[in-house]
Amino acid sequence: MRKIVFIIVSFSYFFGICQDKYPKDYFQSPLNIPIILSGSFGELRNNHFHSGLDIKTQRKEGLEVFAAAEGYISRIKVSQFGYGKSIYITHPNGFTTVYAHLSKFAPKIEAYVKSVQYKNECYEIEESRFKEDIFPIQKGELIAFSGDTGGSGGPHLHFEIRDTESEKVINPLFFGIVTNDSIPPIFQSVKVYTLDDNSHINHQNNSFQLNVKKLIDGNYITDKITANNAIGFGVEVFDKGNDAYNKLGIQRLEMLVNGKRFYHHDLETFSFDESKYINLHIDYEHFKNYKTRFQKTFIDSINTLSTYKELIDFGKIQIKKDLNYTISIIAKDFYGNESTLKIPVIGKETKALLTKQIDTTSFKITAKKFNKFTLDGVTIAFPKNTFYKDTYLDFKVEDEIAKIHPQTIPLDDHFTLTFDVSKYTEQEKKQLYIANIDYPKYPRYQYTRKKDSIFFTTTKYLGNYTLATDNQIPKINLLYIKDGQWISNSETLKVKISDIGSGIDTFRATLNDEWILMEYNHKTGILTYDFTDKVLVGSKHLFKIVVYDNVGNTNELSATFFKKQVN
């Protein structure tokens, strides 16, 4: 009994320390609606851990967004992708809050942003040189309106809290931001791995999934397995809030072997620089093949995530014959709701009936060295430490497609891919570009640099690449108005643009020969001009837009409309 009490007290003490690090009454909610999450802090995302909370905005844009505390705006960024329109507020207590995917800013901020955009004749801006007296902000002050800009997958507010000095992100729930969650995490599946050539699990030297059963008490168990030597586990697990169906990330994951903790992962805080190690944290090959993420409860020595605590033998379990083991994997959310998955293991020395395939090719990668290979006019060059470990690479060129291994190996850095284009005419070269064709119906343009007889690009993804031709001009369509029409009651001017080849590169729009700001929604292809941006003189106006694709194909549209300035 004393031991049990000690464990409970120790956990409470640890949780209390985390709570005491962060002020719980300093920050208010950035929205005046109940906090319901569509994404949690530390959630597993493509190539990164989620760095904040995604707060639902009732499936709509335009909700008022308020400063969580007093401070000053230290950074404003407007980007076509990423965070879209975002505001950073630095607070005197050493923290910075971030508000992202906004539709627009509060009036005084919006006016400043528009002035910079018109001065630079560019939609994308990044202003980060603000002093404390430029945009001072009071707690609860209106700063923006929620939206769906940037890389957002739907209307919501992305909210972060960072340590100002280190720029580490911290779970905002530690600061008293409250959401409704009494549901324990849910285990969906478990995978077991052999970790060396002498390891066997159920007569196999392979990894495979185990059947998971949910018990009456809400916990989980698998069938017994037999094993020997080094093995490890991975789990597919998620959390849920009370008020939404979204699958959220968990806060902590632990693994006990016969009651002794071998693995502990806690997503209280992390830095952006280490977030890329998510590709080592999960079973990356499984994710690329099946689009589901198993969090491994063992790690490679090259994985330096700071979120791991008190590991024993990197979470790898040495199973000895004639001994029985109970593996307990415990998932917890921020509020302490937890679920336990138990895996009974019997130590038994056996010979493997199924073994891993030995992977050898002519293209061996030595991770700590520069590696370069050339085949049929295609060259791939990998700087040292591009790969996390030594490996054998599949590389071939078939039907002018460079097949550079399946995308099942994560890379730490970009590599260079070069095509010899000396056989093409100068006119043909103008319309050529390098494309990723892992999805052949939707070739993806790679930023292509052209130099005499070679084209090259840099990328962080293995896969299939080729030279593609784009000889089609972009399409431009006026929306809701026609050339020569009166549009006195219209508040905006909208145009839809698209390109079926290399994709849209840039565009330039003018009104009466003066540059105008058109906001581009890349998800719909719609450009929007707000008539309040400029004072119209007279009633007849000439609109022009020129659109360029990524190989220089150009299209232009001109239209005359009639509109008087409405005071």
Side-chain angles (χ1 to χ4, degrees):
M1 177 61 75
R2 288 181 180 177
K3 187 174 182 180
I4 295 174
V5 171
F6 174 74
I7 292 171
I8 294 171
V9 171
S10 295
F11 174 75
S12 300
Y13 176 71
F14 170 78
F15 193 74
I17 288 174
C18 289
Q19 295 286 342
D20 290 342
K21 278 196 251 181
Y22 312 115
K24 290 196 288 295
D25 299 321
Y26 190 86
F27 294 109
Q28 71 166 55
S29 171
L31 297 172
N32 61 3
I33 59 173
I35 298 296
I36 301 175
L37 300 182
S38 61
S40 60
F41 182 84
E43 194 172 283
L44 307 179
R45 298 286 178 90
N46 285 341
N47 300 313
H48 68 284
F49 294 98
H50 188 227
S51 58
L53 302 178
D54 282 347
I55 305 173
K56 286 177 174 283
T57 55
Q58 302 172 339
R59 298 182 180 178
K60 58 188 177 184
E61 301 182 43
L63 270 62
E64 294 180 325
V65 178
F66 304 99
E70 69 170 323
Y72 68 97
I73 293 178
S74 53
R75 183 183 180 193
I76 299 172
K77 187 172 183 180
V78 178
S79 176
Q80 191 61 59
F81 299 97
Y83 281 5
K85 295 182 179 182
S86 56
I87 288 179
Y88 299 68
I89 299 178
T90 297
H91 306 281
N93 67 340
F95 297 101
T96 295
T97 50
V98 182
Y99 315 75
H101 305 307
L102 307 169
S103 61
K104 63 186 299 186
F105 304 104
K108 67 177 181 180
I109 306 169
E110 182 79 5
Y112 174 82
V113 169
K114 286 277 182 81
S115 71
V116 174
Q117 290 172 318
Y118 273 92
K119 179 182 177 181
N120 298 339
E121 294 192 357
C122 185
Y123 172 73
E124 295 195 326
I125 67 166
E126 182 170 5
E127 296 287 300
S128 56
R129 300 180 299 276
F130 296 113
K131 296 181 180 179
E132 296 182 28
D133 58 347
I134 303 298
F135 281 117
I137 295 294
Q138 298 301 312
K139 184 175 184 176
E141 182 177 343
L142 175 69
I143 58 169
F145 299 87
S146 67
D148 185 28
T149 57
S152 169
H156 73 280
L157 175 67
H158 175 88
F159 178 67
E160 287 179 20
I161 299 181
R162 302 181 181 183
D163 178 276
T164 302
E165 185 175 352
S166 69
E167 292 195 338
K168 280 190 171 185
V169 287
I170 305 156
N171 189 342
L173 297 181
F174 279 113
F175 294 83
I177 303 297
V178 176
T179 185
N180 192 15
D181 181 3
S182 60
I183 301 173
I186 298 166
F187 283 100
Q188 284 196 301
S189 188
V190 60
K191 196 170 179 181
V192 59
Y193 301 83
T194 52
L195 300 183
D196 63 41
D197 293 339
N198 298 316
S199 301
H200 301 150
I201 304 166
N202 288 358
H203 303 284
Q204 299 185 43
N205 183 237
N206 279 313
S207 61
F208 56 93
Q209 290 177 232
L210 303 176
N211 292 322
V212 175
K213 293 183 288 187
K214 189 172 183 179
L215 302 174
I216 296 175
D217 65 1
N219 289 310
Y220 301 79
I221 194 168
T222 71
D223 294 333
K224 289 181 181 178
I225 61 173
T226 61
N228 72 305
N229 295 323
I231 68 171
F233 293 93
V235 291
E236 186 185 0
V237 60
F238 66 91
D239 192 33
K240 283 181 67 175
N242 291 13
D243 304 311
Y245 291 104
N246 301 76
K247 292 182 178 181
L248 306 176
I250 60 172
Q251 169 82 20
R252 288 178 290 276
L253 189 66
E254 299 177 69
M255 181 180 69
L256 309 181
V257 180
N258 290 341
K260 186 175 183 178
R261 186 159 73 184
F262 268 56
Y263 173 91
H264 183 202
H265 177 236
D266 192 328
L267 282 161
E268 174 193 342
T269 179
F270 59 86
S271 69
F272 286 100
D273 288 343
E274 61 180 335
S275 190
K276 64 182 178 181
Y277 289 119
I278 188 173
N279 291 331
L280 297 178
H281 176 75
I282 65 171
D283 182 337
Y284 187 81
E285 181 177 0
H286 185 98
F287 169 64
K288 283 297 183 178
N289 286 331
Y290 304 106
K291 306 306 176 189
T292 57
R293 295 182 177 92
F294 280 86
Q295 300 191 57
K296 297 184 293 186
T297 57
F298 60 95
I299 70 168
D300 299 310
S301 58
I302 52 178
N303 184 351
T304 58
L305 263 174
S306 64
T307 52
Y308 299 124
K309 316 290 182 186
E310 304 170 18
L311 300 181
I312 295 179
D313 196 21
F314 299 102
K316 301 172 183 179
I317 308 166
Q318 292 290 337
I319 302 296
K320 297 180 179 179
K321 67 176 182 178
D322 300 328
L323 295 179
N324 293 335
Y325 301 81
T326 299
I327 313 299
S328 300
I329 301 177
I330 305 164
K332 301 178 183 179
D333 64 23
F334 173 83
Y335 293 101
N337 303 307
E338 69 174 67
S339 296
T340 299
L341 167 69
K342 291 195 173 181
I343 308 164
V345 181
I346 300 171
K348 187 176 181 181
E349 190 171 6
T350 59
K351 290 187 177 180
L353 302 178
L354 294 174
T355 59
K356 295 177 185 176
Q357 263 189 321
I358 297 174
D359 188 10
T360 59
T361 71
S362 301
F363 306 100
K364 183 179 180 181
I365 294 289
T366 303
K368 293 185 178 181
K369 292 184 179 180
F370 174 78
N371 298 270
K372 182 178 179 180
F373 309 106
T374 299
L375 272 181
D376 299 333
V378 178
T379 299
I380 49 177
F382 302 93
K384 64 179 182 179
N385 297 322
T386 298
F387 289 81
Y388 290 108
K389 56 186 177 182
D390 295 354
T391 191
Y392 287 95
L393 199 68
D394 293 330
F395 176 39
K396 56 186 175 182
V397 179
E398 291 181 346
D399 299 325
E400 300 189 335
I401 298 172
K403 299 180 178 181
I404 313 165
H405 209 87
Q407 284 191 14
T408 52
I409 301 176
L411 303 184
D412 190 65
D413 204 350
H414 294 74
F415 70 95
T416 301
L417 167 64
T418 303
F419 283 85
D420 183 336
V421 295
S422 56
K423 69 179 182 180
Y424 295 96
T425 67
E426 292 304 311
Q427 182 58 38
E428 288 172 330
K429 289 178 187 178
K430 289 179 181 179
Q431 296 179 321
L432 280 175
Y433 65 97
I434 300 173
N436 177 284
I437 55 168
D438 283 314
Y439 304 98
K441 289 185 178 180
Y442 306 100
R444 189 170 71 247
Y445 171 81
Q446 295 290 134
Y447 177 59
T448 304
R449 281 161 281 189
K450 303 181 178 184
K451 186 178 179 181
D452 300 326
S453 61
I454 63 168
F455 287 4
F456 65 98
T457 189
T458 57
T459 178
K460 205 175 179 181
Y461 299 97
L462 304 172
N464 299 320
Y465 295 86
T466 193
L467 289 170
T469 298
D470 179 2
N471 53 21
Q472 301 293 314
I473 63 173
K475 292 182 179 179
I476 311 173
N477 294 297
L478 277 173
L479 298 180
Y480 315 123
I481 69 168
K482 295 180 180 179
D483 187 24
Q485 183 178 350
W486 275 91
I487 58 170
S488 295
N489 295 325
S490 298
E491 296 179 351
T492 59
L493 176 66
K494 293 181 182 289
V495 175
K496 185 167 185 176
I497 62 176
S498 61
D499 187 82
I500 61 172
S502 57
I504 301 296
D505 177 28
T506 188
F507 55 86
R508 179 179 173 83
T510 59
L511 185 58
N512 302 326
D513 295 325
E514 292 185 356
W515 183 87
I516 57 173
L517 174 69
M518 299 201 79
E519 294 199 15
Y520 180 39
N521 185 328
H522 65 273
K523 301 158 199 169
T524 62
I526 294 176
L527 294 164
T528 303
Y529 169 67
D530 187 336
F531 279 118
T532 63
D533 282 2
K534 286 181 176 287
V535 175
L536 296 177
V537 177
S539 59
K540 183 178 180 180
H541 308 285
L542 176 63
F543 169 73
K544 289 184 180 180
I545 183 169
V546 183
V547 181
Y548 308 84
D549 68 15
N550 280 298
V551 298
N553 295 315
T554 306
N555 195 7
E556 181 176 335
L557 178 145
S558 297
T560 300
F561 64 87
F562 297 88
K563 179 180 175 66
K564 289 184 177 180
Q565 183 73 33
V566 178
N567 295 325

